[in-house]
């Protein structure tokens, strides 16, 4: 693969201003709520990202795009009171997300539509802070039981919202009855108009507010009375007169924690509101504070880039007073730490923080010092770059603009071809040929270039636009195409052209799937003609009990996140956040004499598809002789264990492969079809390619024959457990894929923000673990490795087989024993009785885990189950491969008639591996194919040419940061 490394795409990642979990603590009894946990990240450009922790994998599910001059400064989640379903079972209430952003409005977001649901604005100052009322602890329980919900219980579960204003006012808003309404004012604007910088609830009826006048005030929300005012005193000598209280939080016992502009963390008695302790832990302002559910750990972040951890010390007995001690202050961020929040369950315990450096950072809490922290890329998970390989165009889109570049051709000496250099100025390696800026305040959600580069489609939250692109004077001339109102006057979350350029797919905000036909206009000046008829494709009805109402997310989990066309544009597949796949097939041949609004009669359709036609097929809308029908095998496709990150149809091989695979056949609904000639359901249709490659959130790899609803032969022989160990250890999630089909090679290139891996799907993964677990850059040949299968041991790191191997708690990997910090011994001598010489050395980690009970016993049981499953899968794998594994190493191709699979030659025996990977590239924004590079002589010499678009953080323009003493980086 020929690679152009591109860093000229100046995508502007935005600072993180707010972070919030939908649940901050879930007990073992509430574990049924874990699938509903979401993290919301608010950025300075107005975007809100919704993340799924997914047991520490951290998946960016969707982005609610902001608008021009908008910012997110605060986020809170609430949950409506529990409800009763049709089976008279108590189910959790609906989760709701609210935001503020330096305006007088509180916005509630529709999770399913990705747009504001309702906005409340009042006659008061700008909103600076927001907090949600806690639920009554007596009513926090698991979502189960058949008891009716009393009105008093529902009232105890309602969560009001309190906001603090720039003029000193504090307003309470009610969220009852699924509304957002003004409830009361508990603090009116003062004469000094001291801004309310931070706010929180101490309990359901008490609000703590930090002001800009060196004061913390306590209010009773029932009567609006001020209970107490706590002064922080004058500011530091030589500095501002007033101390700004940037953050206030409360511990479970009522203790108030405040962080201010002097870099001091203060602890206040929650009953008499007196100062208990102060800790000068930061060199500059403390911008946010987070506390754990048990009240034993406090974490602060500030302008000095420090993330400081405090733990409660002392037994509380006489002479050993309880106090807070600073444990550590690592600099995890490269700039100000503006927001942080915690999430804890039985297995996860993490802090999520963000700031001006744009990257969220996950830090372990319970296992701080024993696990690494993890930095997640601030770039979007879905690439915002694309291209058209024919004319060598590359496109990028963000905010309200689209940029299109032309990448010239280079010869073998890495110099410009003579005909290419004439169009570039001296020193240029690319050329910006078009820039499109749309009017209005809305941001672009999706954009796509037609494969031949002649048209561009883009969408916002409220409209769809299509532009014609024509080459003119070494630039692209851009003109707007007039499209029907039914297409353009409603927004879309995804727009995508089919590979043949004849169809435009629209995924509306409510995940409605619509598709329209495109025609080349006879008048060249008018360009593309968009037919006015929209065809709506219906998804299969699903049992949504488990994926929607049971976890309080409503229809959000049915949001379509990925789409894919087959290479011949005859099959369409979509995947949603719950893991369901839906597919449709294009039926019929083009007939330009057919009336565009004609519908087939039931008799006509019955004659074409016998008695198995569904109601949708009978009434399929015909456009120019063609119609999209639901794949009859769609219901056979299994529900994925997690959402699909990548959907992509494997392209067909050249004619060489078509001849070699002519004997393979499959059956669909009792009919026989050739796998590479799946003309479904009309045998007169052109060849289909129905192998759908699916890569999930959990980095599980599957390939389906969508026309039969079965796993492909390659996927059955190569389950995800056979992936290389180095690949299985990758933390960053996959962003996209590129196919490379040349000669005998059927490669797919997968990439994430920091990695690039290749898998050759024409070969099987090595069955020998020694071969499979090589590192990606290993130079050791398979023939030089031992053929002995080494059994994996569970230990405490560094090959130590004692104890239990702990799973991580949601952040980075476990720190090896040899690399842990030097300190108190991690082992102790345990003896029973007076004979000390018979003592036994015990690991402190294992003993502590056993004393807690449950966690590691469950982990050990799960590991045992995993080992048993792996053994069973290995045995099943042997049956699936049969003697074909031995035949795979032979030269030439072998047809295994028993299993119906084609085994290909081994590409030069031991020197060739079916995978390769690298971490050479950093902060990948996307990879754009530019064309094919043909080889000479050997079919294996052909490759593809791509542009790897990088956006490293050190090249992003950030505001000046604080520099303190003893900072050398």
């Amino acid at each position: 693969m020929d690679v152009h490394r591109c860093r000229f795409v100046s995508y502007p990642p935005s600072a993180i201003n707010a972070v919030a979990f939908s649940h901050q603590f879930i007990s073992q009894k509430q574990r049924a709520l874990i699938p509903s946990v979401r993290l919301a990240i608010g950025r300075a450009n107005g975007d809100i990202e919704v993340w799924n922790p997914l047991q520490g994998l951290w998946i960016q599910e969707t982005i609610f795009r902001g608008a021009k001059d908008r910012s997110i400064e605060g986020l809170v989640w609430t949950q409506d009171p529990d409800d009763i379903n049709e089976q008279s079972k108590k189910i959790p209430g609906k989760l709701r997300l609210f935001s503020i952003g330096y305006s007088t409005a509180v916005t509630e977001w529709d999770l399913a539509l990705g747009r504001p649901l309702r906005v409340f604005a009042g006659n008061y100052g700008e909103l600076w802070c927001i907090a949600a009322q806690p639920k009554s602890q007596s009513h926090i329980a698991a979502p189960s039981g058949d008891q009716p919900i009393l009105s008093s219980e529902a009232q105890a579960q309602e969560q009001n919202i309190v906001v603090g204003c720039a003029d000193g006012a504090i307003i309470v808003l009610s969220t009852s009855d699924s509304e957002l309404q003004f409830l009361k004012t508990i603090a009116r604007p003062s004469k000094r108009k001291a801004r309310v910088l931070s706010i929180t609830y101490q309990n359901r009826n008490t609000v703590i507010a930090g002001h800009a006048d060196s004061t913390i005030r306590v209010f009773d929300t029932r009567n609006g009375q001020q209970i107490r005012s706590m002064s922080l005193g004058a500011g530091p000598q030589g500095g501002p007169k007033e101390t700004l209280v940037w953050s206030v939080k409360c511990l479970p016992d009522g203790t108030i924690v405040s962080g201010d502009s002097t870099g001091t963390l203060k602890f206040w008695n929650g009953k008499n509101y007196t100062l208990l302790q102060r800790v000068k832990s930061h060199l500059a302002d403390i911008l946010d504070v987070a506390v754990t559910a048990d009240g034993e750990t406090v974490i602060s972040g500030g302008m000095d880039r420090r993330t400081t951890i405090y733990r409660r010390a002392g037994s509380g007995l006489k002479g050993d007073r309880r106090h807070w001690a600073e444990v550590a202050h690592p600099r995890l961020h490269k700039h100000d730490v503006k927001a942080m929040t915690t999430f804890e369950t039985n297995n996860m315990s993490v802090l999520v923080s963000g700031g001006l450096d744009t990257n969220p950072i996950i830090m372990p809490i319970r296992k701080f010092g024993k696990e690494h922290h993890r930095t997640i890329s601030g770039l979007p998970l879905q690439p915002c770059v694309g291209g058209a390989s024919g004319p060598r165009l590359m496109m990028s889109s963000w905010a309200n603009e689209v940029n299109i570049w032309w990448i010239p051709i280079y010869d073998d000496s890495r110099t410009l071809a003579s005909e290419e250099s004439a169009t570039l100025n001296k020193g240029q390696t690319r050329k910006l040929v078009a820039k499109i800026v749309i009017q209005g305040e809305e941001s672009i959600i999706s954009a796509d270039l037609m494969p031949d580069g002649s048209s561009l489609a883009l969408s916002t939250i409220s409209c769809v636009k299509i532009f014609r692109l024509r080459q003119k004077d070494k630039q692209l001339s851009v003109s707007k195409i007039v499209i029907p109102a039914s297409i353009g006057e409603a927004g879309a979350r995804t727009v995508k052209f089919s590979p043949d350029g004849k169809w435009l797919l629209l995924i509306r905000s409510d995940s409605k799937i619509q598709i329209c036909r495109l025609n080349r206009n006879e008048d060249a000046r008018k360009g593309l003609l968009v037919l006015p008829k929209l065809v709506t494709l219906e998804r299969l009805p699903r049992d949504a009990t488990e994926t929607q109402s049971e976890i309080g997310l409503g229809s959000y989990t049915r949001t379509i996140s990925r789409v894919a066309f087959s290479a011949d544009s005859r099959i369409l597949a979509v995947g949603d956040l719950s893991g369901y796949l839906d597919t449709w097939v294009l039926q019929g041949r083009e007939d330009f004499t057919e009336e565009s609004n004609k519908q087939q009669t039931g008799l006509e359709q019955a004659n074409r598809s016998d008695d198995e036609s569904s109601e949708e097929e009978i009434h399929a809308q015909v456009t120019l002789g063609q119609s999209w029908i639901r794949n009859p095998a769609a219901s056979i496709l299994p529900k994925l264990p997690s959402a699909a990150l990548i959907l992509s149809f494997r392209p067909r091989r050249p004619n060489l492969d078509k001849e070699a695979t002519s004997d393979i056949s499959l059956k669909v609904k009792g009919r026989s079809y050739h796998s590479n000639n799946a003309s479904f359901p009309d045998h007169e249709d052109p060849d289909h390619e129905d192998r759908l490659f699916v890569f999930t959130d959990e980095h599980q790899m599957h390939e389906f024959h969508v026309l039969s609803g079965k796993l492909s032969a390659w996927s059955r022989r190569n389950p995800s457990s056979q992936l290389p160990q180095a690949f299985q250890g990758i933390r960053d999630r996959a962003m996209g894929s590129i196919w490379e089909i040349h000669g005998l090679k059927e490669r797919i290139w997968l990439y994430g923000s920091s990695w690039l891996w290749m898998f050759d799907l024409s070969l099987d993964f090595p069955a020998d673990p020694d071969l499979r677990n090589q590192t990606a850059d290993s130079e050791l040949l398979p023939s030089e490795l031992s053929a002995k299968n080494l059994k994996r041991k569970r230990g405490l790191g560094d090959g130590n087989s004692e104890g239990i191997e702990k799973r991580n708690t949601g952040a980075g990997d476990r720190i090896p024993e040899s690399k842990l910090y030097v300190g108190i011994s991690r082992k102790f001598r345990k003896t029973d009785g007076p004979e000390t010489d018979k003592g036994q050395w015990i690991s402190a980690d294992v003993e502590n885990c056993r004393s807690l009970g449950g966690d590691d016993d469950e982990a050990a049981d799960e590991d045992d189950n995993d080992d048993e499953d792996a053994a069973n899968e290995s045995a099943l794998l042997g049956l699936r491969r049969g003697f074909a594994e031995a035949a795979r190493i032979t030269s030439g191709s072998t047809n295994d008639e028993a299993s119906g699979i084609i085994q290909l030659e081994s590409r030069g025996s031991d020197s060739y591996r079916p995978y390769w990977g690298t971490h050479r590239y950093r902060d990948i924004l996307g990879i754009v194919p530019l064309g094919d590079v043909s080889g000479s002589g050997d079919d294996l010499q052909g490759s593809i040419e791509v542009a790897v678009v990088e956006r490293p953080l050190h090249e992003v323009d950030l505001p000046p940061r604080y520099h303190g003493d003893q900072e050398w980086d």
Side-chain angles (χ1 to χ4, degrees):
M1 182 169 69
D2 286 2
V3 176
H4 298 264
R5 298 186 70 170
C6 305
R7 294 191 175 182
F8 54 81
V9 180
S10 56
Y11 174 82
S14 185
I16 296 175
N17 289 342
V19 290
F21 275 107
S22 58
H23 306 76
Q24 288 195 292
F25 176 73
I26 294 180
S27 65
Q28 184 67 13
K29 294 182 179 179
Q30 298 173 288
R31 60 183 178 273
L33 294 174
I34 292 179
S36 68
V37 176
R38 294 298 185 272
L39 169 68
I41 297 179
R43 295 188 179 268
N45 62 357
D47 289 351
I48 298 178
E49 302 171 2
V50 180
W51 292 71
N52 185 353
L54 198 62
Q55 300 178 351
L57 296 180
W58 301 101
I59 311 299
Q60 185 188 84
E61 291 185 332
T62 186
I63 300 178
F64 304 157
R65 294 296 181 183
K68 185 179 179 181
D69 299 329
R70 303 289 175 86
S71 175
I72 302 297
E73 300 296 330
L75 290 168
V76 294
W77 294 82
T78 66
Q79 189 167 19
D80 288 342
D82 295 341
D83 201 356
I84 298 294
N85 62 11
E86 297 177 355
Q87 291 76 29
S88 300
K89 182 180 178 181
K90 185 187 297 185
I91 59 175
K94 180 182 177 182
L95 286 170
R96 303 167 66 183
L97 177 63
F98 301 86
S99 70
I100 59 172
Y102 286 152
S103 67
T104 61
V106 178
T107 304
E108 180 180 358
W109 293 84
D110 190 315
L111 299 180
L113 299 181
R115 61 172 64 186
L117 177 63
R118 54 178 62 91
V119 177
F120 177 85
N123 187 21
Y124 38 75
E126 295 179 345
L127 305 181
W128 276 69
C129 51
I130 185 171
Q133 184 182 27
K135 286 188 176 183
S136 174
Q137 293 297 319
S138 60
H139 295 281
I140 298 180
S144 61
D146 300 329
Q147 299 83 2
I149 300 177
L150 303 178
S151 59
S152 58
E153 294 181 3
Q155 187 176 4
Q157 294 182 34
E158 290 180 354
Q159 294 179 270
N160 295 328
I161 291 176
V162 61
V163 293
C165 307
D167 58 5
I170 298 178
I171 311 297
V172 179
L173 305 177
S174 172
T175 63
S176 60
D177 300 327
S178 298
E179 294 291 338
L180 181 62
Q181 299 175 339
F182 173 81
L183 185 61
K184 64 176 68 175
T185 299
I186 59 175
R188 299 190 180 278
S190 60
K191 294 181 179 179
R192 299 181 61 181
K193 293 188 176 181
R195 288 171 295 169
V196 184
L197 300 177
S198 54
I199 199 164
T200 190
Y201 275 90
Q202 186 182 31
N203 51 55
R204 283 186 59 84
N205 300 315
T206 306
V207 166
I208 313 295
H211 291 70
D213 60 351
S214 307
T215 305
I216 300 174
R217 295 178 173 87
V218 185
F219 297 92
D220 189 325
T221 59
R222 292 168 294 189
N223 52 29
Q225 296 296 317
Q226 179 176 319
I227 301 175
R228 189 64 59 90
S229 176
M230 299 173 285
S231 175
L232 278 68
Q237 186 175 2
K241 180 180 178 181
E242 304 290 353
T243 299
L244 308 179
V245 186
W246 288 117
S247 180
V248 289
K249 291 293 189 296
C250 291
L251 301 179
D253 62 0
T255 300
I256 301 169
V257 185
S258 66
D260 55 49
S261 58
T262 66
T264 304
L265 190 76
K266 295 183 174 68
F267 297 87
W268 307 81
N269 189 296
K271 296 180 179 179
N272 55 27
Y273 305 108
T274 58
L275 182 64
L276 296 175
Q277 183 183 353
R278 68 177 68 203
V279 182
K280 184 69 170 69
S281 52
H282 288 263
L283 304 177
D285 298 45
I286 294 178
L287 300 180
D288 202 5
V289 174
V291 300
T292 57
D294 59 3
E296 296 297 317
T297 304
V298 174
I299 306 167
S300 62
M303 291 179 60
D304 58 355
R305 300 182 290 127
R306 287 183 175 181
T307 302
T308 307
I309 300 97
Y310 315 83
R311 295 271 169 82
R312 199 192 295 265
S315 62
L317 302 176
K318 185 176 181 180
D320 189 13
R321 183 178 61 87
R322 298 297 302 270
H323 64 282
W324 291 88
E326 179 182 341
V327 176
H329 54 262
R331 287 190 177 97
L332 307 179
H333 288 270
K334 299 182 182 299
H335 217 293
D336 299 4
V337 185
K338 296 189 65 177
M340 52 178 52
T341 186
T342 60
F343 173 63
E344 297 174 86
T345 66
N346 196 36
N347 297 323
M348 291 184 65
S349 177
V350 295
L351 170 88
V352 178
S353 59
L356 293 183
D357 60 2
T358 76
N359 293 332
I361 289 184
I362 317 297
M363 188 192 78
I365 299 176
R366 193 180 303 149
K367 293 298 180 182
F368 177 77
K370 301 175 185 177
E371 292 178 358
H372 294 287
H373 73 277
R374 178 182 172 191
T375 301
I376 299 178
S377 174
L379 302 178
L381 186 62
Q382 291 201 50
C384 60
V385 295
S389 59
R392 301 179 65 83
L393 297 178
M394 186 176 73
M395 173 204 68
S396 66
S397 62
W398 61 79
N400 63 341
E401 68 178 52
V402 177
N403 296 286
I404 301 177
W405 286 270
W406 172 68
I407 309 298
I409 298 176
Y410 289 81
D411 57 24
D412 294 338
S413 61
R414 312 304 299 172
T415 59
L416 285 172
S418 58
E419 63 273 13
E420 306 289 345
S421 59
T423 62
L424 294 176
N425 297 325
K426 185 177 181 180
Q428 279 189 317
T429 59
R430 77 279 177 184
K431 186 174 184 179
L432 180 64
V433 293
K435 183 173 182 178
I436 302 171
V437 179
I438 62 173
Q439 297 179 351
E441 298 182 347
E442 297 175 347
S443 296
I444 296 172
I445 299 178
S446 176
D448 191 35
L449 269 177
M450 188 172 282
D452 63 1
S454 62
S455 299
L456 167 71
L458 58 84
S459 66
T460 68
I461 197 172
S462 63
C463 68
V464 174
K465 299 178 183 293
I466 304 178
F467 298 90
R468 184 188 181 193
L469 307 177
R470 289 184 300 169
Q471 187 173 358
K472 184 178 181 181
D473 297 332
K474 302 178 184 180
Q475 293 288 118
L476 281 182
S477 172
V478 180
S479 58
K480 187 176 179 180
I481 296 176
V482 178
I483 60 177
S486 60
I487 298 174
E489 292 183 356
R493 64 171 68 243
T494 302
V495 292
K496 186 174 182 62
F497 289 108
S498 62
D500 61 5
K502 296 180 179 180
W503 299 92
L504 176 63
L505 175 68
L506 305 171
I507 307 296
R508 298 297 189 181
S509 300
D510 57 356
S511 291
K512 179 186 293 185
I513 306 167
Q514 295 183 324
I515 193 167
C516 62
R517 177 61 195 258
L518 310 174
N519 270 348
R520 300 288 182 183
N521 201 307
E522 296 180 358
D523 187 350
R525 293 173 299 177
K526 295 183 179 180
L528 199 67
L529 175 64
V530 183
L531 299 188
K533 185 172 65 176
L534 270 175
V535 178
T536 300
L537 306 181
E538 299 293 338
R539 289 188 283 173
L540 283 171
R542 310 287 189 177
D543 182 8
T545 302
E546 181 178 338
T547 60
Q548 296 180 22
S549 59
E550 286 291 335
I551 57 177
L553 289 173
S555 58
Y556 168 76
T557 56
R558 292 287 281 148
T559 299
I560 293 177
S561 58
R562 299 295 186 271
V563 300
F565 278 102
S566 61
D568 59 5
S569 304
R570 304 305 297 268
I571 306 177
L572 169 65
V574 302
D576 61 28
L577 295 178
S578 62
Y580 286 113
L581 298 176
D582 289 277
T583 54
W584 295 266
V585 179
L586 181 62
Q587 173 185 312
R589 291 183 176 275
E590 282 186 331
D591 183 3
F592 291 97
T593 64
E594 185 94 24
E595 294 182 4
S596 62
N597 61 349
K598 179 182 177 182
Q599 290 197 4
Q600 290 179 305
T601 64
L603 179 60
E604 291 172 338
Q605 182 68 14
N607 291 335
R608 293 173 62 90
S609 56
D610 301 327
D611 56 351
E612 295 182 3
S613 299
S614 65
E615 182 180 352
E616 178 191 356
E617 294 171 0
I618 295 175
H619 300 287
Q621 290 185 329
V622 179
T623 304
L624 299 182
Q626 294 180 308
S627 61
W628 287 93
I629 64 169
R630 182 188 298 152
N631 175 21
S635 59
I636 307 176
L637 290 173
K639 179 180 181 294
L640 301 173
S642 59
L645 283 178
I646 295 174
L647 288 182
S648 182
F649 284 91
R650 191 200 296 204
R652 287 181 303 166
R653 284 183 172 185
N655 294 333
L656 171 67
D657 181 67
K658 185 175 180 181
E659 296 175 2
T661 58
S662 59
D663 292 337
I664 302 178
S665 63
L666 51 86
K667 290 187 177 182
V668 180
K669 293 254 181 179
R671 299 189 185 93
S672 296
Y673 301 94
H674 292 291
S675 60
N676 284 336
N677 188 25
S679 51
F680 179 88
D682 188 353
H683 288 283
E684 296 180 357
D685 284 349
D687 291 346
H688 283 312
E689 177 50 77
D690 74 328
R691 289 175 295 178
L692 177 63
F693 180 86
V694 181
F695 200 66
T696 69
D697 288 344
E698 298 175 345
H699 276 194
Q700 300 293 306
M701 190 181 295
H702 310 283
E703 188 181 49
F704 297 98
H705 282 289
V706 296
L707 297 182
S708 62
K710 299 178 181 179
L711 285 172
S712 68
W714 181 90
S715 190
R716 291 196 302 269
R717 299 192 312 271
N718 297 274
S720 298
S721 60
Q722 300 296 307
L723 289 169
Q725 186 177 10
F727 181 77
Q728 294 184 38
I730 291 177
R731 292 282 180 180
D732 295 331
R733 299 294 91 184
M735 298 172 59
S737 65
I738 296 173
W739 288 97
E740 181 183 8
I741 309 294
H742 285 94
L744 299 178
K745 296 183 299 186
E746 293 189 66
R747 293 176 173 176
I748 184 170
W749 293 84
L750 305 178
Y751 64 91
S753 61
S754 61
W755 54 269
L756 174 65
W757 273 75
M758 178 277 295
F759 296 96
D760 193 336
L761 304 191
S762 65
L763 298 175
D764 292 332
F765 296 139
D768 189 338
D770 289 340
L771 304 181
R772 191 171 63 248
N773 295 337
Q774 295 181 67
T775 57
D777 56 354
S778 174
E779 300 296 334
L780 199 59
L781 298 181
S783 60
E784 298 173 292
L785 292 173
S786 171
K788 181 179 179 181
N789 293 335
L790 300 179
K791 184 178 180 181
R792 179 177 59 87
K793 297 181 179 180
R794 294 200 309 267
L796 284 172
D798 294 347
N800 185 3
S801 60
E802 299 177 4
I804 302 172
E805 183 181 0
K806 288 278 292 178
R807 295 166 293 175
N808 73 336
T809 57
D813 293 325
R814 184 185 179 92
I815 301 176
E817 193 80 11
S818 60
K819 296 183 180 180
L820 285 171
Y821 52 83
V822 178
I824 300 175
S825 174
R826 312 195 69 80
K827 292 186 178 182
F828 63 92
R829 191 178 183 87
K830 182 177 181 180
T831 61
D832 293 327
E835 300 181 9
T836 59
D837 57 335
K838 296 182 179 181
Q840 181 183 6
W841 285 101
I842 304 295
S843 170
D845 292 335
V846 175
E847 187 66 20
N848 287 338
C849 292
R850 288 172 178 167
S851 65
L852 292 174
D855 287 10
D856 284 284
D857 293 336
E858 294 176 4
D861 292 340
E862 290 183 9
D863 286 338
D864 290 338
N865 293 334
D866 291 342
D867 291 341
E868 184 178 353
D869 293 341
N872 294 335
E873 190 173 63
S874 178
L876 182 59
L877 178 64
L879 293 175
R880 285 172 174 169
R881 292 190 179 182
F883 63 87
E885 178 65 23
R888 185 183 61 85
I889 309 300
T890 63
S891 60
S893 60
T894 304
N895 184 9
D896 181 2
E897 297 179 357
S899 58
I901 56 178
I902 299 298
Q903 300 297 337
L904 302 174
E905 63 183 0
S906 59
R907 313 283 194 271
S909 187
D910 292 342
S911 62
Y912 188 85
R913 284 179 293 173
Y915 58 84
W916 176 89
T918 181
H919 291 266
R920 179 180 302 175
Y921 309 103
R922 282 292 183 271
D923 297 309
I924 297 177
L925 190 62
I927 299 182
V928 180
L930 297 176
D932 293 336
V933 179
S934 60
S936 58
D938 190 355
D939 287 333
L940 300 180
Q941 296 297 322
S943 64
I944 58 174
E945 184 181 4
V946 300
V948 178
V949 184
E950 299 175 280
R951 187 57 170 152
L953 181 62
H954 65 266
E955 295 183 1
V956 178
D957 293 331
L958 298 176
R961 72 181 188 187
Y962 173 84
H963 287 276
D965 297 335
Q966 299 182 347
E967 291 190 20
W968 299 282
D969 57 339

